[in-house]
Amino acid sequence: MRRKGLAIMAVQTVEAHTGSSVDLGPAAALSCRECGERFELGPLFACATCFGPLEVAYDLPSGSPDELKKRIEAGPDNIWRYAPLLPVPSDVADKPNINPGFTKLVKADNLARELGVTGGLYVKDDSGNPTHSFKDRVVAIAVEAARAFGFTTLSCSSTGNLAGAVGAAAARAGLRSCVFIPHDLEQGKVVMAAVYGGELVGIEGNYDDVNRFCSELIGDPLGEGWGFVNVNLRPYYGEGSKTLAYEICEQLGWQLPDQIVIPIASGSQLTKIDKGLQELIKLGLVEDKPYKIFGAQAEGCSPVSAAFKAGHDVVRPQKPNTIAKSLAIGNPADGPYVLDIARRTGGAVEDVNDEQVVDAIKLLARTEGIFAETAGGVTVGVTKKLIEAGLLDPTLTTVVLNTGDGLKTLDAVAATSQATATIRPSLDAFRAAGLGTS
Ligand SMILES: *Cc1c(COP(=O)(O)O)cnc(C)c1O
């Protein structure tokens, strides 16, 4: 019933903002992931017929793969190099946007040695984005959709990183922002969401409560003219995650990795990385070969992992309780699609407990000099666990995602990451502390 209400509201909003004048580059329409029905491009997120989620359908570029590769490689060092494959206008690179992407793909040989991986281990380090998480990718696309549909306020329900990304992107684009977070987030995320000068509202409840509140706001005059990046702009927003797939393959020399380990909050990122890989195969930009997609959750919020292990097709909601707050969505919208992808590709969904998350953050920092937020601890911890369980093949090329920056989740490791010693500034004191060479 609730979904039906949302769908009708979405249809009403769309009448105010669509038209044939909308220019979102190669995006041709929205299509329902369940029944395939197509709709005109607009701020629409649920199918008017079956209430299934909508996604962007494209007229993808024709012509030779080599020409397209050259065009991409000559583009800017950010996600706009892939503009021909994204729902954005062709002059997107000239507009005020935060221009995320083209983050480092780090060959993690030290970590590989520690984990016994011989086939090549890489960390895709998205902490290098403008607001230090992967969320800049999805928000950058949503900003272009918001502009195209004439929204003047940018909003979202956030587990933390999204609020900061929306605040920054709105500031750059000259839009107003009002973002919503659970009231008890890490200080680094709260400050980061507030500093860009938009409105930040803490909601007394968890992310699922925040999300429900935003769904109500969309149907109310109070939210009139607002683009919620992960609700009424969700089909566009989601497409930003495809750029992770494009970058990983380009950075591997236009090759598919054999295995990818991806964190799951709503599951959007994982499903869109798969969509991106499929597009590259279809366009002939990479050689078609099997790849496996692995999903990673924290034990304290593991509804998808639990469903995977139980062999279920539906995901039973959970009440989150984990330090991996950026992944703490108890009722993940894309959960069933994640299950499909993990099963279709021969991957798996696994979870690790908070102690293992902390250990994995420190392992990655100690071996590769990368300080991940808790979500990165989840993927590295799950990678280790999957290797030990024999589910992830250490002889194959493996990419592990780090989607956020450890500076935003200092509390996770603060207790066990302190000064080795505090001493007077003298050599005697240094010696007495047992430090130095001799
Ligand atoms: C939001 C987020 C994710 C994953 O989000 P999805 O909802 O699954 O797309 C992963 N890592 C971090 C750090 C995030 O903030």
Side-chain angles (χ1 to χ4, degrees), residues 133-135 159 161-162 234 237 241 263-270 326-327 329 373 375 403-404:
S133 90
F134 113 92
K135 288 296 196 303
T159 55
N161 284 315
L162 186 58
R234 189 173 180 83
Y237 159 99
S241 291
I264 301 167
S266 72
S268 170
Q269 182 187 36
L270 186 147
S326 56
L327 304 181
I329 298 184
E373 79 140 85
T403 47

Side-chain angles (χ1 to χ4, degrees), residues 210-228:
V210 178
N211 204 32
R212 213 163 19 245
F213 169 79
C214 286
S215 298
E216 282 179 39
L217 186 53
I218 285 178
D220 193 276
L222 287 169
E224 182 79 49
W226 291 27
F228 288 78

Side-chain angles (χ1 to χ4, degrees), residues 145-381:
R147 262 198 264 267
F149 304 140
F151 289 127
T152 49
T153 299
L154 212 57
S155 186
C156 68
S157 53
S158 172
T159 55
N161 284 315
L162 186 58
V166 165
R172 179 74 62 86
L175 297 168
R176 177 179 169 229
S177 71
C178 181
V179 300
F180 300 91
I181 56 171
H183 68 107
D184 60 351
L185 285 186
E186 303 96 336
Q187 197 197 6
K189 300 229 171 107
V190 174
V191 172
M192 191 105 185
V195 76
Y196 301 105
E199 286 155 48
L200 169 69
V201 181
I203 299 279
E204 293 165 2
N206 61 30
Y207 172 82
D208 298 288
D209 298 313
V210 178
N211 204 32
R212 213 163 19 245
F213 169 79
C214 286
S215 298
E216 282 179 39
L217 186 53
I218 285 178
D220 193 276
L222 287 169
E224 182 79 49
W226 291 27
F228 288 78
V229 301
N230 57 340
V231 190
N232 58 356
L233 297 175
R234 189 173 180 83
Y236 310 93
Y237 159 99
E239 296 296 290
S241 291
K242 294 193 308 179
T243 59
L244 274 163
Y246 303 154
E247 287 179 20
I248 288 167
C249 291
E250 185 179 350
Q251 289 168 322
L252 288 174
W254 293 108
Q255 284 197 340
L256 292 168
D258 298 312
Q259 307 175 117
I260 311 185
V261 185
I262 304 168
I264 301 167
S266 72
S268 170
Q269 182 187 36
L270 186 147
T271 61
K272 298 305 177 181
I273 287 176
D274 179 62
K275 188 180 181 194
L277 296 175
Q278 292 294 322
E279 285 174 358
L280 293 182
I281 292 170
K282 215 175 298 163
L283 289 163
L285 292 177
V286 296
E287 198 185 320
D288 189 1
K289 63 164 191 174
Y291 58 84
K292 293 185 180 184
I293 290 193
F294 297 87
Q297 295 205 291
E299 186 182 286
C301 183
S302 52
V304 188
S305 160
F308 182 85
K309 290 177 190 171
H312 294 161
D313 294 331
V314 291
V315 173
R316 250 180 69 194
Q318 292 182 1
K319 213 174 156 90
N321 179 17
T322 169
I323 58 167
K325 294 187 180 186
S326 56
L327 304 181
I329 298 184
N331 189 10
D334 288 289
Y337 298 107
V338 169
L339 293 172
D340 283 350
I341 290 165
R343 287 175 181 141
R344 167 169 57 75
T345 64
V349 186
E350 186 51 275
D351 56 83
V352 281
N353 64 35
D354 285 356
E355 197 184 322
Q356 291 167 316
V357 171
V358 171
D359 287 347
I361 291 173
K362 296 176 84 171
L363 172 64
L364 181 62
R366 173 166 65 73
T367 53
E368 299 298 340
I370 296 172
F371 185 19
E373 79 140 85
T374 44
V378 168
T379 49
V380 172

Side-chain angles (χ1 to χ4, degrees), residues 119-140:
L121 179 65
Y122 297 83
V123 175
K124 179 61 173 167
D125 187 11
D126 249 11
S127 67
N129 276 314
T131 71
H132 305 271
S133 90
F134 113 92
K135 288 296 196 303
D136 291 319
R137 296 176 183 274
V138 283
V139 169

Side-chain angles (χ1 to χ4, degrees), residues 359-419:
D359 287 347
I361 291 173
K362 296 176 84 171
L363 172 64
L364 181 62
R366 173 166 65 73
T367 53
E368 299 298 340
I370 296 172
F371 185 19
E373 79 140 85
T374 44
V378 168
T379 49
V380 172
V382 160
T383 302
K384 183 166 185 273
K385 194 167 171 180
L386 288 168
I387 292 169
E388 286 162 4
L391 290 169
L392 198 137
D393 186 341
T395 67
L396 298 177
T397 305
T398 304
V399 176
V400 180
L401 262 55
N402 172 40
T403 47
D405 193 323
L407 286 173
K408 288 201 225 179
T409 58
L410 286 175
D411 282 353
V413 290
T416 51
S417 305
Q418 294 294 326

